[in-house]
Each structure stands twice: as C-alpha cells, then as structure tokens.
Amino acid sequence: MEVKNCKECGRLFNWMNGPKICPACVKKVEDKFQEVKEYVRNNKGASLEQISEDNDVAIKQIKQWVREERLVFAEDSMVGIDCELCGKMIRTGKYCNECKDKVQNNLATGIKQKPKVEPKKPVKDNPRMRFLDK
Ligand SMILES: [Zn+2]
Ligand SMILES: [Zn+2]
C-alpha cells in the first residue's frame, strides 16, 4: 500500500492499485455514472455532446464507460463510439461484432502458438516482462 495524491482533488489517500483517485472521488464518478445512465435511458436521442453538457461530465469519461460496457446506448439511438479497429460505429465495448470475432480468433491462435514463439530467455532479460512490471 502506498500513499498518493488523488489525481482529482489532490488529497492524500492509501492507494493500492487502479486509477490514482481517492475513494471520495471514485464515489463522485460513480454517482455521476448513475446520473448519466438514467439520463441516457430517458433521452435516447441525446448526442454525446448533449449528454456531456447536460450532466457536466467529459465526453472522454462517457466513452470510457461505453468501452467498459457499463453504459449501453439503445439499438436505435444515434449515439455510439468507434470500433477501435475499423472505426465503425458501435454502441458498447471496444470493437464491432466482426472485429470482436477477429480479435477472439487471433487470441485463440495466439494461445495455441505461444509455446513455440516464447523465447527461452531468463525473465529479467525479457523486455516485455519489464514493460509489464511498470
Ligand atoms: Zn480525490
Ligand atoms: Zn470493427
């Protein structure tokens, strides 16, 4: 456990993992999320800009919720975010259905191939492991 400054309010708090935001600010974001969720449900036609303005929340934050699949737009709504691979409009998650399939296939083959590809180096010389450590 470490003591860190909250990125939002600057207060010191005991940080373990995840975003460097204190519990009070996490709660604030959580309350905001409930507000936005309710708003989206009642305003199906609202654009991202509108949602952002009416709820005083950053578009970036809204998109993050959508990527985390916490916020889902109605099938017939005009709002969406871009598929991270092909840029097609999607309503939730990171990828459109086609790209999701592709990613899942890649993942499956990746796992199968892994023993062959894995270099036989000591862990500390593996740059990838160092990167993960950060
Ligand atoms: Zn805070
Ligand atoms: Zn896609």
Side-chain angles (χ1 to χ4, degrees):
M1 200 150 70
E2 276 176 78
V3 176
K4 298 245 186 227
N5 282 100
C6 169
K7 241 169 47 182
E8 294 293 322
C9 67
R11 211 166 19 190
L12 285 171
F13 72 106
N14 290 324
W15 175 80
M16 278 183 284
N17 51 43
K20 295 179 181 65
I21 296 172
C22 76
C25 289
V26 168
K27 169 118 196 347
K28 246 192 323 203
V29 172
E30 202 50 41
D31 289 349
K32 200 50 119 176
F33 170 71
Q34 295 305 333
E35 208 180 300
V36 170
K37 204 168 117 182
E38 194 62 33
Y39 177 91
V40 168
R41 202 168 11 194
N42 296 327
N43 301 273
K44 290 206 166 81
S47 66
L48 278 180
E49 287 79 11
Q50 238 176 307
I51 300 169
S52 161
E53 253 171 57
D54 286 356
N55 296 281
D56 190 27
V57 53
I59 289 182
K60 220 177 99 189
Q61 176 70 75
I62 301 170
K63 285 187 172 174
Q64 196 191 318
W65 286 328
V66 178
R67 294 248 188 253
E68 288 169 356
E69 302 190 20
R70 300 184 65 193
L71 201 63
V72 182
F73 294 111
E75 273 303 319
D76 56 352
S77 97
M78 293 305 289
V79 192
I81 58 171
D82 306 330
C83 166
E84 282 190 357
L85 284 180
C86 69
K88 203 160 96 176
M89 196 175 96
I90 52 173
R91 301 264 148 55
T92 190
K94 286 184 179 153
Y95 311 115
C96 67
N97 283 335
E98 287 125 71
C99 291
K100 219 188 276 176
D101 281 351
K102 258 187 269 174
V103 169
Q104 255 152 21
N105 284 341
N106 283 348
L107 228 60
T109 36
I111 290 164
K112 262 183 251 157
Q113 285 167 354
K114 212 179 171 187
K116 281 186 231 159
V117 181
E118 204 68 81
K120 279 189 179 157
K121 273 187 194 169
V123 170
K124 68 178 163 94
D125 286 329
N126 188 335
R128 216 173 45 189
M129 295 300 288
R130 261 207 299 271
F131 178 70
L132 283 175
D133 264 343
K134 263 199 246 177

